[in-house]
Amino acid sequence: YSQIMISEVTPRGKEFLFFSLFSIMGKTSAFIGPIVSSAIIDASPAGNNSLPFYFLAGLTALSLGLLAFFVDLKKSRPEQARFLEEEKAVVGERRASVVGGMPESGSSTGSGIMEDNHIKKL
């Protein structure tokens, strides 16, 4: 369900960012979850092994409730389109700031190829 929800609220073309964040969070919870569960068992009277289940079931119910209440899939589509338009405008402004194959002062092209070609022409 969580992967379907992420795919519904992710702007097209940016899926790798959201799914990589989802993967990092999943691996982090897989690391921290057993530690928290063992701490709950150790803190319980007589080492009750079922208490972590109740804790995790409560967290699951809380997160499902928050998702159902705060995430609006119909509102997500226009927000995705607006985000992509704003990003396209920012990328267009960055490309327009490059003058004559050389970036403006204070910016970098990310590689020395453009600078090398410019120097060879001189």
Side-chain angles (χ1 to χ4, degrees):
Y1 182 76
S2 60
Q3 290 181 353
I4 293 170
M5 181 65 74
I6 288 175
S7 68
E8 287 292 321
V9 299
T10 301
R12 300 301 171 238
K14 301 295 178 184
E15 291 89 358
F16 66 96
L17 293 172
F18 287 84
F19 280 100
S20 63
L21 178 64
F22 179 72
S23 176
I24 290 170
M25 295 304 292
K27 293 190 185 319
T28 303
S29 65
F31 175 74
I32 294 175
I35 296 171
V36 171
S37 295
S38 65
I40 291 171
I41 292 170
D42 291 342
S44 70
N48 188 352
N49 289 339
S50 63
L51 283 181
F53 171 77
Y54 301 125
F55 173 73
L56 294 174
L59 282 179
T60 301
L62 177 67
S63 64
L64 285 175
L66 290 174
L67 279 175
F69 187 71
F70 286 112
V71 176
D72 185 6
L73 294 178
K74 291 179 184 175
K75 187 179 176 184
S76 173
R77 297 285 182 199
E79 287 177 350
Q80 291 175 26
R82 188 171 45 247
F83 170 80
L84 291 173
E85 288 173 8
E86 290 173 2
E87 185 180 46
K88 186 186 253 185
V90 168
V91 169
E93 289 174 9
R94 287 183 187 161
R95 288 184 179 158
S97 69
V98 176
V99 179
M102 292 294 291
E104 290 183 349
S105 62
S107 64
S108 174
T109 61
S111 71
I113 295 171
M114 193 176 288
E115 291 85 2
D116 291 341
N117 288 339
H118 185 71
I119 292 171
K120 288 177 185 176
K121 290 178 183 177
L122 292 177

